[in-house]
Amino acid sequence: MRLPDRIGPRTLLITAALPLTGWTVHAVALHKRLAATKRDPLTGLLRRDAYTAHARRLLARHGNDVTVVMVIGVRAGSFKAV
């Protein structure tokens, strides 16, 4: 079996594309997992720490503008069993 003296551009492209594809898939999976930790799995609403960080960014962005933030609290124990 004889190997070519020169590696072609197609071989180099395939050699580079495979690891990049794997890293991209891994990064997307990690991003989805991190995004899921910011939301409540039952309601889909932001959790307290994510909501607080988002509210602080909004307040910092708008400076002296009037901003109304409404928080409605629901106790977890107030749901009736079905």
Side-chain angles (χ1 to χ4, degrees):
M1 180 160 131
R2 182 173 185 275
L3 295 174
D5 294 336
R6 183 175 155 245
I7 297 176
R10 184 175 176 189
T11 304
L12 288 175
L13 179 66
I14 292 172
T15 305
L18 287 175
L20 289 175
T21 303
W23 291 332
T24 303
V25 169
H26 182 67
V28 168
L30 284 178
H31 178 72
K32 286 182 180 181
R33 286 180 65 190
L34 285 173
T37 62
K38 294 180 181 181
R39 296 199 174 268
D40 182 86
L42 183 61
T43 63
L45 299 174
L46 288 175
R47 291 189 175 173
R48 182 184 297 185
D49 55 343
Y51 175 79
T52 303
H54 184 68
R56 285 185 181 167
R57 281 194 305 270
L58 285 174
L59 291 171
R61 183 184 315 152
H62 295 293
N64 293 331
D65 293 344
V66 176
T67 305
V68 176
V69 178
M70 180 185 286
V71 179
I72 300 173
V74 177
R75 276 190 3 203
S78 63
F79 294 107
K80 293 182 180 180
V82 177

